[in-house]
Each structure stands twice: as structure tokens, then as C-alpha cells.
Amino acid sequence: MPQNPLVEKTPVTLLGLGAMGTALARTWLSAGHPLTVWNRTPARAAALEAEGASVADTAAGAVAANTLVITCLLDDMSVGEVLAGLDLTGKDLVNLTTSTPAQARDRAEWSRQRGARYLDGGIMAVPPMIGVPESGGYAFYSGSEELFARHRDTLGIPAGTSFVGEDAGFAALYDVALLSAMYGMFAGAAHAFALIRKEDIDPAALAPLLADWLTAMAPSVHQTADQLRTGDYTEGVASPLAMQVAGTPAFLRTAEQQGVSPELLTPYFDLMRRRLAEGSDDEGLTGVIDLLVR
Ligand code: FVH
């Protein structure tokens, strides 16, 4: 987001200079924010120092340098280790480390007990997308809305921002929800490529077909959401569950004939069959969600 050059840039402390931390750091430096960095392995800070960052010898020194403290470490355990025993009184702690929702809520309470305000972040981008607005990368934020509003412009420099609620666990929840869907897509694509692996078919010929098909199917999530909201799982169904279940043996036989393990498909097909056995012939696939929720 463009910032007013006449407004003083918020100084940032960043703990963690892995692939993501380094990419974040470069965007704040390029945008003219005073930046103090610390990393467990000091060598990783050398290039950033040459680019204008102040390098702290200790995490305590880095935290003491600025009010806005951003962590981008491996996991929640490393955040706990790095911040243990440090004075966080009055700090604005923004944690961009991937966590579970429960870890994020605990970290928010842990920060509150130490006199810090807390915002949790989940980054929907890989390092090359950071600082490239046209890449579409963004981060979910949740926790203190007041803190988000205060630092929105600074947080918006590396990637877009999306505030998803005062519950500190929500950013992690949205993050994991989207990434889980992504892995489902990767699993389906892996099975598709495996099916053609032994044939005289160029994977590069299948790839655009796969991409177009997945893109065409993706908007079905809106119908799923509408059905979950209304509770009517038959509304607008074009491909009833009974028809889809009847088709599954062809998928499994094809896998067998192509010498491909069906292990990525069968868990989902099993759920479809269970839902159909409950008498939900006219539904689409939305009822499977209710079987997953324990
Ligand atoms: N890179 C990606 O594609 C994803 C995209 C989405 C968001 N993730 C999350 O971002 C967090 C950081 O990821 P990263 O890519 O920077 O990860 P690494 O390159 O592996 O760097 C890890 C940094 O954490 C430091 N570190 C690890 N353990 C400790 C510890 N016990 N005490 C202090 N620091 C620790 C590590 O330091 P060093 O190894 O250089 O000394 C790195 O600075 C992460 O949550 C992703 O899930 C990235």
C-alpha cells in the first residue's frame, strides 16, 4: 500500500530471518522503515545489514529497540524460546509464525500477561510473492483490531492484509483451512499425473487441462457455503451424490488398470458412500462435511 512520504515511517523490529523473514525485511527496508533485525544464526543478517538494517546482538536488544515487534520464526515453540524472559511491556507484538489456532490464542494471553498487545498473522504467500502486489499474496490477521488498525499500513507493505476477527486464533484457522484445501487439490493433481505416468502422454499436455478444470470447479465452494448456511443440501445440485457414488468404481478400476494406488481417492469415496447410505441421494457433496465434524 503506498504510504505518505511526509509521514514518519514506523520503526520495525523483526525476529527471524529465514526465507520468509528475509523477504519481509527487504520490503520494509525498501519502503524506508527503520528496521532492527535479529536472527539466531547471525550470519543470515549480514546481507540485510549491508542493505540498511540495524542488527541486534540479542533478541532482547532487538525487542528493546522498537514498539512494533514482529516475529517470523519456524513455529510457536521457537517463538516461546526466543521471547522467554524478555521485557514485552508496552510492545505491539505481531506474530507471523505459522501456529495452530489454540497456540495463537495461548500466545495472545501469554502476551497480555506480559503487558504486550497481540496480533496473530497467517501468511498466504511464499517468499517470492512478498513485496510483489500483483502476486496476490496477503496475510490474515486476528487479535487486537486496534493494533491492526494502528499498524495496517506497515503490515501492508510486504503483502495485502485481511483482518478476520478479534479471536486471536482465527488468522491461523483461516490459514490452515485454505492450505488444507490446497493440499486436497495437490493430492488430486498427483493422482491425475500418476494415471498418465506410464502412457505416451506428455505431462505438459495434461497440466493446462488440469489447471483449467480445477479453476472451473473451484467456484462450487460458493454453492457449498450457501447450502451450509441454509441447511438445504439439495439446493441447486447438478450432480447428485447417488450418481457420483455410482461412478466411483470406474475411478478405482482405472487406477488399478493404470497401476496406480487409489490411496489418495479412497478416503473421500468412503465418505461419499457413507453419506449416501444415510439416504441423501439428492444431495451433492456437502453432506460429507457433516461426517467430518466430530
Ligand atoms: N516459506 C514459506 O513458503 C512459508 C509461506 C507461508 C508462511 N510460512 C511460515 O513463515 C514462518 C517462517 O518461515 P521461513 O520460510 O522463514 O522458515 P525458515 O527459512 O525455515 O526459517 C526459520 C526461522 O526460524 C528460526 N528458528 C527456528 N528455530 C528457532 C529457535 N529454536 N530459536 C530461534 N530461532 C529459531 C531460524 O533461525 P536460524 O535457523 O536461521 O538460526 C529462521 O530464522 C514459518 O512459521 C512458516 O511456516 C513460510
Coordinates of all heavy atoms in Angstrom, one line a residue, residues 102-135:
A102 N -5.2 -22.7 18.6 CA -5.0 -22.8 20.1 C -3.7 -22.2 20.5 O -3.6 -21.4 21.5 CB -5.1 -24.3 20.5
Q103 N -2.6 -22.4 19.7 CA -1.3 -21.8 20.1 C -1.4 -20.3 20.0 O -0.9 -19.5 20.8 CB -0.3 -22.3 19.1 CG 0.2 -23.7 19.4 CD 1.1 -24.3 18.3 OE1 1.0 -23.9 17.2 NE2 1.9 -25.2 18.7
A104 N -2.2 -19.8 18.9 CA -2.3 -18.3 18.8 C -3.1 -17.7 19.9 O -2.7 -16.7 20.4 CB -3.0 -18.0 17.4
R105 N -4.2 -18.4 20.3 CA -4.9 -17.9 21.5 C -4.1 -17.9 22.8 O -4.1 -16.9 23.5 CB -6.2 -18.7 21.7 CG -7.2 -18.5 20.6 CD -8.4 -19.4 20.7 NE -9.2 -19.3 19.5 CZ -9.7 -20.3 18.8 NH1 -9.4 -21.6 19.1 NH2 -10.5 -20.1 17.7
D106 N -3.3 -19.0 23.0 CA -2.5 -19.0 24.1 C -1.4 -17.9 24.1 O -1.1 -17.3 25.1 CB -1.8 -20.4 24.2 CG -2.8 -21.5 24.6 OD1 -3.9 -21.2 25.0 OD2 -2.4 -22.7 24.5
R107 N -0.9 -17.7 22.9 CA 0.2 -16.7 22.7 C -0.4 -15.3 23.0 O 0.3 -14.4 23.5 CB 0.8 -16.8 21.3 CG 2.0 -16.0 21.1 CD 3.2 -16.4 22.0 NE 3.7 -17.7 21.8 CZ 4.5 -18.3 22.7 NH1 4.9 -17.7 23.8 NH2 4.9 -19.6 22.5
A108 N -1.6 -15.1 22.6 CA -2.3 -13.8 22.9 C -2.4 -13.6 24.4 O -2.1 -12.5 24.9 CB -3.7 -13.7 22.2
E109 N -2.8 -14.6 25.1 CA -3.0 -14.5 26.5 C -1.6 -14.3 27.2 O -1.5 -13.5 28.1 CB -3.7 -15.7 27.1 CG -3.9 -15.8 28.6 CD -4.6 -14.6 29.2 OE1 -5.3 -13.8 28.5 OE2 -4.4 -14.4 30.4
W110 N -0.7 -15.1 26.7 CA 0.7 -15.0 27.2 C 1.3 -13.6 27.1 O 1.9 -13.0 28.0 CB 1.5 -16.0 26.4 CG 3.0 -16.2 26.7 CD1 3.6 -17.1 27.6 CD2 4.1 -15.4 26.1 NE1 4.9 -16.9 27.5 CE2 5.3 -15.9 26.6 CE3 4.1 -14.4 25.2 CZ2 6.5 -15.5 26.3 CZ3 5.4 -13.9 24.8 CH2 6.5 -14.4 25.4
S111 N 1.0 -13.0 25.9 CA 1.4 -11.6 25.7 C 0.7 -10.6 26.6 O 1.4 -9.7 27.1 CB 1.2 -11.2 24.2 OG 1.8 -12.1 23.3
R112 N -0.6 -10.8 26.7 CA -1.3 -9.9 27.6 C -0.8 -9.9 29.0 O -0.6 -8.9 29.6 CB -2.8 -10.3 27.6 CG -3.8 -9.3 28.2 CD -5.2 -9.9 28.4 NE -5.2 -11.0 29.4 CZ -5.0 -10.8 30.7 NH1 -4.9 -9.6 31.2 NH2 -5.0 -11.9 31.5
Q113 N -0.4 -11.1 29.5 CA 0.1 -11.2 30.9 C 1.5 -10.5 31.0 O 1.9 -10.2 32.1 CB 0.3 -12.7 31.2 CG -1.0 -13.4 31.5 CD -0.9 -14.9 31.6 OE1 0.2 -15.5 31.6 NE2 -2.0 -15.6 31.8
R114 N 2.1 -10.3 29.9 CA 3.4 -9.7 29.9 C 3.3 -8.2 29.5 O 4.3 -7.5 29.2 CB 4.4 -10.4 29.0 CG 4.9 -11.7 29.6 CD 5.4 -12.7 28.6 NE 5.8 -13.9 29.3 CZ 4.9 -14.8 29.8 NH1 3.6 -14.7 29.6 NH2 5.4 -15.9 30.4
G115 N 2.1 -7.7 29.4 CA 1.9 -6.3 29.1 C 2.0 -5.9 27.7 O 2.2 -4.7 27.3
A116 N 1.9 -6.9 26.7 CA 2.0 -6.6 25.3 C 0.7 -6.7 24.6 O -0.2 -7.5 25.1 CB 3.0 -7.5 24.7
R117 N 0.4 -5.9 23.6 CA -0.7 -6.1 22.7 C -0.4 -7.2 21.7 O 0.8 -7.3 21.3 CB -1.1 -4.8 22.0 CG -1.7 -3.8 23.0 CD -1.8 -2.5 22.4 NE -0.5 -1.9 22.2 CZ 0.1 -1.1 23.1 NH1 -0.5 -0.7 24.2 NH2 1.3 -0.7 22.8
Y118 N -1.3 -8.0 21.2 CA -1.0 -9.1 20.3 C -1.9 -9.2 19.1 O -3.1 -9.0 19.1 CB -1.2 -10.4 21.1 CG -0.7 -11.6 20.3 CD1 0.6 -12.0 20.3 CD2 -1.6 -12.4 19.6 CE1 1.1 -13.1 19.6 CE2 -1.2 -13.5 18.9 CZ 0.1 -13.9 18.9 OH 0.5 -15.0 18.2
L119 N -1.2 -9.4 18.0 CA -1.9 -9.7 16.7 C -1.3 -10.9 16.1 O 0.0 -11.0 16.0 CB -1.7 -8.5 15.8 CG -2.5 -8.3 14.6 CD1 -4.0 -8.2 14.9 CD2 -2.1 -7.0 13.8
D120 N -2.1 -11.9 15.7 CA -1.6 -13.1 15.1 C -1.7 -13.0 13.5 O -2.7 -12.4 13.1 CB -2.3 -14.3 15.6 CG -1.5 -15.6 15.4 OD1 -0.5 -15.8 16.1 OD2 -1.8 -16.3 14.4
G121 N -0.8 -13.5 12.8 CA -0.8 -13.4 11.3 C -0.6 -14.8 10.7 O 0.2 -15.6 11.2
G122 N -1.3 -15.0 9.6 CA -1.1 -16.2 8.8 C -0.8 -15.8 7.4 O -1.7 -15.1 6.7
I123 N 0.4 -16.1 6.9 CA 0.8 -15.5 5.6 C 0.3 -16.5 4.4 O 0.7 -17.6 4.4 CB 2.3 -15.4 5.5 CG1 2.8 -14.5 6.6 CG2 2.7 -14.8 4.2 CD1 4.3 -14.3 6.7
M124 N -0.5 -15.9 3.5 CA -0.9 -16.7 2.3 C -0.1 -16.3 1.1 O -0.5 -15.7 0.2 CB -2.4 -16.4 2.0 CG -3.4 -16.7 3.2 SD -3.2 -18.4 3.8 CE -3.5 -19.3 2.3
A125 N 1.2 -16.6 1.3 CA 2.2 -16.3 0.2 C 3.4 -17.1 0.4 O 3.7 -17.5 1.6 CB 2.5 -14.8 0.2
V126 N 4.2 -17.3 -0.6 CA 5.5 -17.9 -0.5 C 6.5 -16.7 -0.7 O 6.1 -15.6 -1.2 CB 5.8 -19.0 -1.5 CG1 4.9 -20.2 -1.2 CG2 5.5 -18.5 -2.9
P127 N 7.8 -16.9 -0.2 CA 8.7 -15.7 -0.2 C 8.8 -14.9 -1.5 O 8.8 -13.7 -1.4 CB 10.0 -16.3 0.3 CG 9.6 -17.5 1.1 CD 8.4 -18.0 0.5
P128 N 8.8 -15.5 -2.7 CA 8.9 -14.7 -3.9 C 7.7 -13.8 -4.1 O 7.7 -12.9 -4.9 CB 9.0 -15.7 -5.0 CG 9.5 -17.0 -4.4 CD 8.9 -17.0 -3.0
M129 N 6.6 -14.1 -3.4 CA 5.4 -13.2 -3.6 C 5.4 -12.0 -2.7 O 4.6 -11.1 -2.9 CB 4.1 -14.1 -3.3 CG 3.8 -15.2 -4.3 SD 2.6 -16.4 -3.6 CE 1.1 -15.5 -3.9
I130 N 6.3 -12.0 -1.8 CA 6.4 -10.9 -0.8 C 6.9 -9.6 -1.5 O 8.0 -9.7 -2.1 CB 7.2 -11.3 0.4 CG1 6.6 -12.5 1.2 CG2 7.4 -10.1 1.4 CD1 5.2 -12.3 1.7
G131 N 6.2 -8.5 -1.3 CA 6.7 -7.3 -1.9 C 6.3 -7.2 -3.4 O 6.8 -6.3 -4.1
V132 N 5.5 -8.1 -3.8 CA 5.0 -8.1 -5.2 C 3.5 -8.1 -5.2 O 2.8 -9.1 -5.2 CB 5.5 -9.4 -6.0 CG1 5.2 -9.4 -7.5 CG2 7.0 -9.6 -5.8
P133 N 2.9 -6.8 -5.2 CA 1.5 -6.7 -5.0 C 0.7 -7.5 -6.1 O -0.3 -8.1 -5.7 CB 1.2 -5.2 -5.2 CG 2.5 -4.6 -4.9 CD 3.6 -5.5 -5.3
E134 N 1.2 -7.6 -7.3 CA 0.4 -8.3 -8.4 C 0.5 -9.8 -8.2 O -0.3 -10.5 -8.9 CB 1.0 -7.9 -9.7 CG 2.4 -8.2 -10.0 CD 3.4 -7.1 -9.5 OE1 3.0 -6.3 -8.7 OE2 4.5 -7.0 -10.0
S135 N 1.2 -10.3 -7.2 CA 1.3 -11.8 -7.0 C 0.0 -12.2 -6.2 O -0.3 -13.4 -6.2 CB 2.5 -12.1 -6.1 OG 2.3 -11.7 -4.8

